[in-house]
Amino acid sequence: MIKAGIVGGTGYTGVELLRLLVRHEKVELTAITSRQEAGRAVSDYFPSLRGHTNLRFEAPEQASLSDCDVVFFATPHATAMHQVPALLDAGVRVIDLSADFRLKDAATWQQWYGEPHASPEHLAQAVYGLPEVNRTKLGDARLVACPGCYPTAVQLGFLPLLEEKLVDPGSLIADAKSGVSGAGRTLKLGSIFSEVSDSMAAYSVSGHRHLPEIRQGLAAAAGREIGLVFVPHLVPMNRGIHATLYAKLTRPGADLQQLFESRYRDEPFVDVLPSGEHPQTRSVRGANTCRLAVHRPQGGDTVVVLSVIDNLTKGASGQAVQCLNIMFGLPETTGLGASAVLP
Amino acid sequence: MIKAGIVGGTGYTGVELLRLLVRHEKVELTAITSRQEAGRAVSDYFPSLRGHTNLRFEAPEQASLSDCDVVFFATPHATAMHQVPALLDAGVRVIDLSADFRLKDAATWQQWYGEPHASPEHLAQAVYGLPEVNRTKLGDARLVACPGCYPTAVQLGFLPLLEEKLVDPGSLIADAKSGVSGAGRTLKLGSIFSEVSDSMAAYSVSGHRHLPEIRQGLAAAAGREIGLVFVPHLVPMNRGIHATLYAKLTRPGADLQQLFESRYRDEPFVDVLPSGEHPQTRSVRGANTCRLAVHRPQGGDTVVVLSVIDNLTKGASGQAVQCLNIMFGLPETTGLGASAVLP
Amino acid sequence: MIKAGIVGGTGYTGVELLRLLVRHEKVELTAITSRQEAGRAVSDYFPSLRGHTNLRFEAPEQASLSDCDVVFFATPHATAMHQVPALLDAGVRVIDLSADFRLKDAATWQQWYGEPHASPEHLAQAVYGLPEVNRTKLGDARLVACPGCYPTAVQLGFLPLLEEKLVDPGSLIADAKSGVSGAGRTLKLGSIFSEVSDSMAAYSVSGHRHLPEIRQGLAAAAGREIGLVFVPHLVPMNRGIHATLYAKLTRPGADLQQLFESRYRDEPFVDVLPSGEHPQTRSVRGANTCRLAVHRPQGGDTVVVLSVIDNLTKGASGQAVQCLNIMFGLPETTGLGASAVLP
Amino acid sequence: MIKAGIVGGTGYTGVELLRLLVRHEKVELTAITSRQEAGRAVSDYFPSLRGHTNLRFEAPEQASLSDCDVVFFATPHATAMHQVPALLDAGVRVIDLSADFRLKDAATWQQWYGEPHASPEHLAQAVYGLPEVNRTKLGDARLVACPGCYPTAVQLGFLPLLEEKLVDPGSLIADAKSGVSGAGRTLKLGSIFSEVSDSMAAYSVSGHRHLPEIRQGLAAAAGREIGLVFVPHLVPMNRGIHATLYAKLTRPGADLQQLFESRYRDEPFVDVLPSGEHPQTRSVRGANTCRLAVHRPQGGDTVVVLSVIDNLTKGASGQAVQCLNIMFGLPETTGLGASAVLP
């Protein structure tokens, strides 16, 4: 059994990790930390887990994380970058769900997160945890930086087009819509039910922290800089991201349906819908799947890709488990085989 | 492998059965019928199941249901009662999720469902599929009548009190709230999003079809007739039933917490919360669990039991799988081990 | 024009008051206070009011509240009781939407609110602002204590039965369901969208602060002590309270429909539905109406009353405006004539 | 008083018209038709209107519509085009909320609505009811074709840019999100609560019926053909449209904020937010307002306009009343002065 620990398990990515890992046949959860809830049973804090785990939260300094084979960070940004080096030194592999190791450039990180990066020397070593791009590298990774939720949905939708140079890389638009759990389990007035229900709005149009991450990934796929307008929106649903992606085709005659099906044929967690369909976010609720559909409205020169994921599963904790499976040589779908809960 | 068929798989209990059975390690789904969708791939009809099953809907008369070991009916009422006898004669065991075999008295059935029962001779033979009451009988059952969603939540909440004769059986009140999926996947104006969202209401206060079923079960537990006021409400959520139960205590000194814990100690799917807590329906979303809490407000002589289930899981398809496990001698939790999807 | 001020206008009852008062033809809003937002335009804080008011928030000590004819308190409890006496001394009439002056007994207030009452000498003077009970007293009132949202819905539903002594006053049960705006515009984890959406739960079963208020009002109607079990629930909707009320009939033969219609015939804001109907909370969304329906399920001896209001309108700010109209001799419906926004 | 009739008042635009017109000080509702509900009191059908109107539905052939000064059509498409000519001949002015007279070209209408237009000779005469474009023409109009909900939000957002030729008219993208009431009060599986709640999806990417209408309006503003990609999405909220609009700036130096403020300075129902803000759909819920914000992310050459309306108010019935006010020489805001119901 792989001994796994979780740092910061009281948020939504934390409880999603717990849901997945308590059922994972090859993983034994041995430690979970929370300063605030230290001593409390996890199943007392999350009654949905009653009967599923006997784990208790421990204070970070008490938890024997260095005895783990792998430690997940489900923390806000600027936490992992302080603690990861010691764990790596102790031989523990790390899967970081936060933003700390996603960007390769420390200056860019500082620009968007407002403080210097605490361990810039580890940025190069970190493997970006998008298996559909980095599967091979993940096998040997000591430190995995799991992609953000928007970046997962946007990159999986644009990748085939950019890799094959079928679109103008300066013309990309990502109009993305997220469920409210993406804002985290934290006290913000803007997350209150009566502030967001029966309403929707865009936010951070001037610049969202996922923008440089998406740019970095798409530039790598395109082999050059890309131009991207990224507009996130908050939608009154719990889970789910719907990214609607636009780009100018440079070769309008290409068979886009075939391109997408071919690119993702062997991917266990990317599903290309038949031509003409529209994926619903609920079709991936609680599942580690990205569903894509590709359209060319009115036969014009703009391609529209619809990309849906569950922000907490393929957009966070499910993808983290997928990375773990690859890192430890397990079948990639281990513990991730459930279909969506629908309705 | 147990060969299983489903009659009528296009509704919400149908897709929930599919979600559970495609992952059940001892069951092989061999047939599913739908007159309207005959020939269509199940995963085309329910895209959430893409990659999880290759089954196609068949017209009822084409499906080789009699080759199955067990057939589930996920049909509206008044369907199973016509088709079940032939299947039983063919040696197939039947788990009926509809209302057709729940009531023991054909006249009562006719009174509430508005037509004569088509196979009243099978009513006596049918085992009411509430494992917490009928586990032993279910082992040998040929025909199982799965309880309705309200009846499951209400009976599990009242049973300990009635069995121990701690309450006045003439004083029972069940104020029950249901998510909209309980109304089925059918075209009713009252199920339209804009009719039910951001609103709630009671319905059928003069008499709901689940009333005689609940009465029958509670009377059996009490060993006498009971008096019950049952008021169902529709609440703007997808899944979940919250039953708030009231009764007059005849022995106010009894240790109710201990009573409930003791009654359900060995039940894998009934969870009694610690004293003073309030279960949320989301804590059982997609899980086969009933969570209960028992209160005595202000130390008065009225006991209040809070009982939550997922109407589609413990209230329908999960309970049906639990019955199957018992009928076929499997560990009762096979295929039902997932915790709730939260948030 | 009546010069009106608002203390504490940044919450949901505050913005609802603003919505109603900016359109009230006889009221001129002259001051609104908020320490935190002092100096900020109200329409900047609440963009829904852009174009509807030029008012700015002022620090409490800056606002010339004593120049107002009437001041509304839309504050949490334990604020008004400190500030009201000075305003009354200055000749300003006060309408308090908080809990500070609702209970007649200072000791009871202290028991439920956890601190001594700061101006117990004003409790006797305060008129409880339920026009359907206290219309005459409201005409001369200097200090009005507006009822809570649950108490409004519950009292209007039980009043006819208790006044006519048709039910056992020791047998009352109020199973009440509230939209999330009832929890206020404050940072609580339990109000976060992802905590409450697609879920529901009871809360405070051991005792909610509205319990003594309801008891006080019902006892006055009954002319004796009453026994009440009150169970509030949180439901995933913005606005609305649905109270489902149960009592044992002592005279089952009484014509309950006629009783309710007669009791409320002249009330502009209480609407008794025809026999057999079920009110939806959305039918009063944004309206100052209480809709009632009375049922006797299966002709038994339990009466069931369904009572719906909008918690922010008839349950708070609309009722406050109704009180103002009475206090200042205006037609009672002034500024309150809009029907519900549906859907 | 203006005598007004409504044809087809049982849908959502119908009940919204009723809500607005029963309070309109210059309008007397004298007739409303519904074949199915003929004879039934409107307030029985829509309990939210109890106490607000005594009107009864009449069969179309019984209703004395020709005695009205103005008749609203709140019908599905392909109804008004059959009935309008006779009303016009009788001297009745018509405000059609359906799609029948929006397109100027009968062939285009046939292409998108699948049948020949029944009164193509009236298309030229019909005035497109967008007051921000056609105010003068509306004054004399006999037949007004009210814009669709998407077209209102999209056109108001793009107009200033196209009129001033600041963007490439071939590069327009409208990513639009609608609440479910936009789908109408009709029985479609896709409108069922459990199909759309806690989920979202795009639809009709290959071509939506509002596309030619938007194209027609934008081309008129631009003075040339335009290229538009229009992707509508269904979002789990009752009311509201959020259009996110993208275009390539041809003069990136232009002061876009000033442009929008100047264009709409005198418009009573268009509100341009301060620079950097993001409008929420709830800020216009139940109000006849369009709120706009204009952004240039990262100072690039793509302009992003955020445009929100209530699909039933400014997107349908409120706009119809605004047109009526103009047609009959009333102050344009008569009966439309309410601010949004928030939360």
Side-chain angles (χ1 to χ4, degrees):
Chain A
M1 295 293 274
I2 300 162
K3 284 189 288 182
I6 298 176
V7 177
T10 60
Y12 292 137
T13 54
V15 69
E16 181 74 348
L17 257 184
L18 284 162
R19 180 177 76 91
L20 296 171
L21 291 178
V22 297
R23 300 265 298 150
H24 193 292
E25 65 198 64
K26 297 295 185 193
V27 170
E28 181 191 0
L29 265 178
T30 56
I32 185 167
T33 74
S34 163
R35 192 170 306 281
Q36 196 155 356
E37 303 299 333
R40 191 168 175 188
V42 166
S43 65
D44 178 45
Y45 191 73
F46 290 122
S48 61
L49 292 168
R50 284 173 59 89
H52 294 275
T53 178
N54 294 319
L55 212 59
R56 287 182 177 275
F57 290 108
E58 294 174 280
E61 53 279 4
Q62 306 297 329
S64 43
L65 295 171
S66 56
D67 296 345
C68 293
D69 298 305
V70 61
V71 167
F72 294 88
F73 279 80
T75 47
H77 71 268
T79 297
M81 67 183 185
H82 293 288
Q83 302 181 21
V84 160
L87 286 171
L88 292 176
D89 288 349
V92 180
R93 298 170 87 173
V94 170
I95 300 175
D96 180 18
L97 283 78
S98 86
D100 285 9
F101 297 97
R102 292 175 189 162
L103 299 182
K104 289 298 170 195
D105 181 51
T108 306
W109 197 92
Q110 178 167 353
Q111 173 194 342
W112 287 89
Y113 292 93
E115 58 180 299
H117 199 285
S119 51
E121 68 280 12
H122 290 89
L123 291 178
Q125 166 190 0
V127 176
Y128 189 68
L130 196 60
E132 292 77 8
V133 171
N134 282 334
R135 181 167 286 109
T136 310
K137 286 187 194 163
L138 284 166
D140 298 322
R142 310 298 308 170
L143 169 57
V144 170
C146 274
C149 48
Y150 285 126
T152 298
V154 174
Q155 289 177 82
L156 292 176
F158 272 136
L159 281 181
L161 297 166
L162 291 170
E163 289 170 350
E164 296 301 318
K165 307 194 187 310
L166 289 179
V167 296
D168 172 359
S171 74
L172 309 180
I173 292 175
D175 187 293
K177 300 90 175 168
S178 174
V180 186
S181 65
R185 194 161 179 266
T186 50
L187 291 178
K188 302 176 208 170
L189 191 56
S191 295
I192 294 286
F193 183 89
S194 296
E195 296 295 303
V196 293
S197 75
D198 205 33
S199 185
M200 73 164 288
Y203 66 101
S204 297
V205 176
S206 62
H208 183 284
R209 283 171 171 168
H210 284 174
L211 176 62
E213 178 185 345
I214 302 174
R215 268 198 203 131
Q216 171 182 280
L218 296 184
R224 46 155 289 186
E225 282 305 293
I226 56 96
L228 172 68
V229 173
F230 169 54
V231 178
H233 303 71
L234 195 65
V235 169
M237 56 187 189
N238 251 330
R239 288 170 169 244
I241 282 186
H242 187 294
T244 313
L245 310 175
Y246 303 87
K248 287 286 172 198
L249 287 163
T250 49
R251 280 197 276 141
D255 184 337
L256 300 175
Q257 181 69 25
Q258 204 278 330
L259 168 74
F260 273 73
E261 289 182 2
S262 161
R263 172 62 176 86
Y264 292 122
R265 179 159 297 132
D266 298 326
E267 286 299 337
F269 294 115
V270 182
D271 177 31
V272 179
L273 290 183
S275 180
E277 301 211 351
H278 307 84
Q280 297 179 309
T281 60
R282 67 173 187 153
S283 82
V284 297
R285 187 191 293 133
N288 196 48
T289 305
C290 174
R291 286 218 156 82
L292 298 170
V294 57
H295 290 257
R296 197 151 67 86
Q298 292 89 52
D301 65 353
T302 299
V303 56
V304 177
V305 182
L306 312 174
S307 173
V308 303
I309 59 169
D310 184 319
N311 54 302
L312 295 177
T313 319
K314 183 62 177 167
S317 305
Q319 188 145 266
V321 172
Q322 187 181 354
C323 288
L324 172 140
N325 289 341
I326 298 171
M327 291 164 75
F328 288 85
L330 306 175
E332 199 164 325
T333 58
T334 310
L336 295 171
S339 63
V341 175
L342 175 150
Chain B
M1 296 292 274
I2 300 160
K3 284 188 288 182
I6 298 176
V7 177
T10 60
Y12 292 136
T13 54
V15 69
E16 180 74 347
L17 257 184
L18 284 161
R19 179 177 77 90
L20 297 170
L21 292 178
V22 296
R23 302 264 298 150
H24 193 292
E25 64 197 64
K26 297 295 186 194
V27 170
E28 181 191 0
L29 265 178
T30 57
I32 184 167
T33 73
S34 164
R35 192 169 306 281
Q36 196 154 358
E37 304 298 332
R40 192 168 176 189
V42 165
S43 65
D44 178 44
Y45 191 73
F46 290 121
S48 60
L49 292 168
R50 286 173 58 90
H52 294 275
T53 177
N54 294 318
L55 212 60
R56 287 181 177 276
F57 290 107
E58 295 173 280
E61 53 278 5
Q62 306 298 328
S64 43
L65 295 172
S66 55
D67 296 342
C68 294
D69 297 305
V70 62
V71 167
F72 294 88
F73 280 80
T75 46
H77 71 267
T79 297
M81 68 184 184
H82 293 289
Q83 302 180 21
V84 160
L87 285 170
L88 292 176
D89 289 349
V92 180
R93 298 169 87 171
V94 170
I95 300 176
D96 179 19
L97 282 79
S98 86
D100 285 9
F101 297 97
R102 292 175 188 161
L103 299 181
K104 289 299 173 194
D105 180 53
T108 305
W109 197 92
Q110 177 167 353
Q111 173 193 342
W112 286 88
Y113 292 92
E115 57 181 298
H117 198 286
S119 51
E121 68 279 13
H122 291 89
L123 291 177
Q125 166 191 359
V127 176
Y128 189 66
L130 195 61
E132 293 77 9
V133 171
N134 282 335
R135 182 168 285 110
T136 310
K137 285 187 193 162
L138 284 166
D140 299 322
R142 310 296 309 167
L143 169 57
V144 170
C146 275
C149 48
Y150 285 127
T152 297
V154 174
Q155 289 177 83
L156 291 176
F158 272 136
L159 281 181
L161 297 166
L162 291 170
E163 290 170 350
E164 296 302 317
K165 305 195 189 310
L166 290 179
V167 296
D168 172 1
S171 74
L172 310 179
I173 292 174
D175 187 291
K177 300 89 174 170
S178 174
V180 185
S181 65
R185 194 162 181 264
T186 51
L187 290 178
K188 302 176 206 169
L189 192 56
S191 296
I192 294 285
F193 182 90
S194 296
E195 296 295 303
V196 293
S197 74
D198 205 35
S199 184
M200 71 164 289
Y203 65 102
S204 296
V205 177
S206 63
H208 182 284
R209 283 170 171 169
H210 284 173
L211 176 61
E213 179 186 343
I214 301 173
R215 266 197 203 132
Q216 172 182 283
L218 296 183
R224 45 155 290 186
E225 281 306 292
I226 55 97
L228 172 69
V229 173
F230 170 53
V231 177
H233 302 73
L234 196 65
V235 168
M237 56 187 189
N238 251 330
R239 287 169 170 247
I241 282 185
H242 187 294
T244 312
L245 310 175
Y246 303 87
K248 287 285 172 197
L249 287 163
T250 48
R251 280 197 278 141
D255 184 337
L256 300 176
Q257 182 69 25
Q258 204 277 332
L259 168 76
F260 274 73
E261 289 181 3
S262 159
R263 172 62 175 84
Y264 291 122
R265 178 158 297 130
D266 299 327
E267 286 298 337
F269 294 115
V270 182
D271 177 31
V272 179
L273 290 182
S275 181
E277 301 212 351
H278 307 85
Q280 296 179 309
T281 59
R282 67 172 187 154
S283 81
V284 297
R285 187 192 293 133
N288 196 48
T289 306
C290 174
R291 286 218 157 81
L292 298 170
V294 57
H295 290 258
R296 196 150 68 86
Q298 292 89 51
D301 65 352
T302 300
V303 56
V304 177
V305 182
L306 312 175
S307 172
V308 302
I309 59 169
D310 184 320
N311 54 301
L312 295 177
T313 319
K314 182 63 177 167
S317 305
Q319 187 145 265
V321 173
Q322 187 182 354
C323 288
L324 171 141
N325 289 339
I326 299 170
M327 291 164 77
F328 287 86
L330 305 175
E332 200 164 325
T333 58
T334 310
L336 295 172
S339 64
V341 175
L342 174 150
Chain C
M1 295 292 273
I2 300 160
K3 284 189 287 182
I6 298 176
V7 177
T10 59
Y12 292 135
T13 55
V15 70
E16 180 74 348
L17 257 185
L18 284 161
R19 180 177 77 91
L20 296 171
L21 292 178
V22 297
R23 301 265 298 151
H24 194 291
E25 65 197 65
K26 297 295 187 193
V27 171
E28 181 192 359
L29 265 178
T30 57
I32 185 166
T33 73
S34 164
R35 193 170 305 282
Q36 195 156 357
E37 304 298 332
R40 190 168 176 190
V42 166
S43 65
D44 177 47
Y45 191 73
F46 290 122
S48 61
L49 293 168
R50 285 173 59 89
H52 294 274
T53 179
N54 295 318
L55 213 59
R56 285 183 178 276
F57 290 108
E58 294 173 280
E61 53 279 4
Q62 306 298 328
S64 45
L65 295 171
S66 55
D67 295 344
C68 293
D69 298 306
V70 62
V71 167
F72 294 89
F73 280 80
T75 45
H77 71 269
T79 297
M81 67 183 185
H82 294 289
Q83 302 180 21
V84 160
L87 285 171
L88 292 176
D89 288 349
V92 180
R93 298 171 87 173
V94 170
I95 300 175
D96 180 18
L97 283 79
S98 86
D100 285 9
F101 297 97
R102 292 176 189 160
L103 299 182
K104 289 298 172 194
D105 181 52
T108 306
W109 197 93
Q110 178 168 351
Q111 174 193 341
W112 286 88
Y113 291 92
E115 57 180 300
H117 199 285
S119 52
E121 67 280 12
H122 290 90
L123 291 177
Q125 168 191 358
V127 177
Y128 188 67
L130 196 61
E132 292 78 8
V133 171
N134 282 334
R135 182 168 286 111
T136 310
K137 286 187 193 162
L138 284 167
D140 300 321
R142 309 298 308 168
L143 169 56
V144 171
C146 275
C149 49
Y150 286 127
T152 297
V154 174
Q155 288 177 82
L156 291 176
F158 272 136
L159 281 180
L161 298 166
L162 291 170
E163 289 170 350
E164 297 300 318
K165 305 195 187 310
L166 291 179
V167 296
D168 172 1
S171 74
L172 310 179
I173 291 174
D175 188 292
K177 301 89 174 169
S178 174
V180 185
S181 66
R185 195 160 179 266
T186 51
L187 290 178
K188 302 176 208 168
L189 191 57
S191 295
I192 294 285
F193 182 91
S194 296
E195 296 294 304
V196 293
S197 75
D198 206 35
S199 184
M200 71 164 290
Y203 66 101
S204 296
V205 176
S206 62
H208 183 283
R209 283 169 170 170
H210 283 173
L211 177 61
E213 180 186 343
I214 302 173
R215 266 197 203 133
Q216 172 182 281
L218 297 183
R224 46 155 291 186
E225 283 305 293
I226 57 93
L228 172 69
V229 173
F230 170 52
V231 178
H233 302 73
L234 196 65
V235 169
M237 58 187 187
N238 251 327
R239 288 169 169 248
I241 284 186
H242 188 293
T244 313
L245 310 174
Y246 303 87
K248 287 286 172 197
L249 288 163
T250 49
R251 281 197 277 140
D255 184 336
L256 300 176
Q257 181 69 24
Q258 205 278 330
L259 168 76
F260 273 73
E261 290 183 2
S262 161
R263 172 60 176 86
Y264 291 121
R265 178 158 299 131
D266 298 327
E267 287 299 338
F269 294 116
V270 183
D271 178 30
V272 179
L273 290 183
S275 180
E277 300 211 352
H278 307 84
Q280 296 179 309
T281 61
R282 67 173 188 153
S283 83
V284 297
R285 187 192 291 136
N288 195 48
T289 305
C290 174
R291 285 218 156 82
L292 298 170
V294 56
H295 289 257
R296 198 150 68 85
Q298 292 90 51
D301 65 353
T302 299
V303 56
V304 177
V305 182
L306 312 174
S307 173
V308 302
I309 59 169
D310 184 319
N311 54 303
L312 295 177
T313 320
K314 183 63 177 167
S317 305
Q319 188 145 265
V321 173
Q322 187 182 355
C323 288
L324 171 140
N325 290 340
I326 297 171
M327 292 164 76
F328 288 86
L330 305 175
E332 199 164 324
T333 57
T334 310
L336 295 171
S339 64
V341 175
L342 173 150
Chain D
M1 295 293 273
I2 300 161
K3 285 189 287 182
I6 298 175
V7 177
T10 59
Y12 291 136
T13 55
V15 69
E16 181 75 348
L17 257 185
L18 284 161
R19 179 177 77 91
L20 297 171
L21 292 178
V22 297
R23 300 265 299 152
H24 193 292
E25 63 197 67
K26 298 296 186 192
V27 171
E28 181 191 0
L29 265 178
T30 56
I32 185 167
T33 73
S34 164
R35 193 171 305 282
Q36 196 155 358
E37 303 298 332
R40 190 167 175 189
V42 166
S43 66
D44 178 45
Y45 191 72
F46 291 121
S48 60
L49 292 168
R50 285 173 59 89
H52 294 274
T53 178
N54 294 318
L55 212 60
R56 287 182 178 275
F57 290 107
E58 294 174 280
E61 53 279 3
Q62 306 298 326
S64 43
L65 295 171
S66 56
D67 295 344
C68 293
D69 298 305
V70 62
V71 167
F72 295 88
F73 280 80
T75 45
H77 71 269
T79 297
M81 68 183 184
H82 293 289
Q83 302 179 22
V84 160
L87 285 171
L88 292 176
D89 288 349
V92 180
R93 298 171 87 173
V94 170
I95 300 175
D96 180 19
L97 284 78
S98 86
D100 286 9
F101 297 97
R102 293 176 189 160
L103 299 182
K104 290 298 172 195
D105 182 53
T108 306
W109 197 92
Q110 177 167 353
Q111 174 194 341
W112 287 90
Y113 292 92
E115 56 181 298
H117 198 286
S119 51
E121 67 280 13
H122 291 90
L123 291 178
Q125 168 191 357
V127 177
Y128 189 66
L130 196 61
E132 292 77 9
V133 171
N134 282 334
R135 182 168 286 111
T136 310
K137 285 187 194 161
L138 284 166
D140 300 321
R142 311 298 309 168
L143 170 57
V144 170
C146 275
C149 47
Y150 285 126
T152 297
V154 174
Q155 289 178 82
L156 291 176
F158 272 136
L159 280 181
L161 297 166
L162 290 171
E163 289 170 349
E164 297 301 318
K165 306 197 187 309
L166 291 179
V167 295
D168 172 0
S171 74
L172 310 180
I173 292 175
D175 187 293
K177 301 87 174 170
S178 173
V180 185
S181 66
R185 194 161 181 265
T186 51
L187 291 178
K188 303 175 208 168
L189 191 56
S191 295
I192 295 286
F193 182 90
S194 296
E195 295 295 303
V196 293
S197 75
D198 206 34
S199 183
M200 71 164 289
Y203 66 102
S204 297
V205 177
S206 63
H208 183 283
R209 283 169 171 170
H210 284 174
L211 177 62
E213 179 186 344
I214 302 173
R215 266 197 204 134
Q216 171 182 282
L218 296 183
R224 47 155 290 186
E225 282 304 293
I226 56 96
L228 172 69
V229 173
F230 170 53
V231 177
H233 302 73
L234 196 64
V235 168
M237 57 189 188
N238 250 328
R239 287 170 169 247
I241 282 186
H242 187 294
T244 313
L245 310 175
Y246 303 87
K248 287 286 173 198
L249 288 163
T250 49
R251 280 197 278 143
D255 184 337
L256 300 176
Q257 181 70 23
Q258 205 278 330
L259 168 75
F260 273 73
E261 289 182 2
S262 162
R263 173 63 176 86
Y264 291 121
R265 179 158 297 131
D266 298 326
E267 286 298 337
F269 294 116
V270 182
D271 178 31
V272 179
L273 291 182
S275 179
E277 301 212 350
H278 306 84
Q280 296 180 308
T281 60
R282 65 174 190 152
S283 82
V284 297
R285 188 192 291 134
N288 196 47
T289 305
C290 174
R291 285 217 158 83
L292 298 171
V294 57
H295 290 257
R296 196 149 68 85
Q298 292 90 51
D301 66 352
T302 299
V303 55
V304 177
V305 182
L306 313 175
S307 172
V308 303
I309 59 169
D310 184 320
N311 55 303
L312 294 177
T313 320
K314 183 63 177 167
S317 305
Q319 187 145 267
V321 173
Q322 187 181 355
C323 288
L324 172 140
N325 290 340
I326 298 170
M327 292 164 75
F328 288 86
L330 306 174
E332 200 165 323
T333 58
T334 310
L336 295 172
S339 64
V341 175
L342 174 151

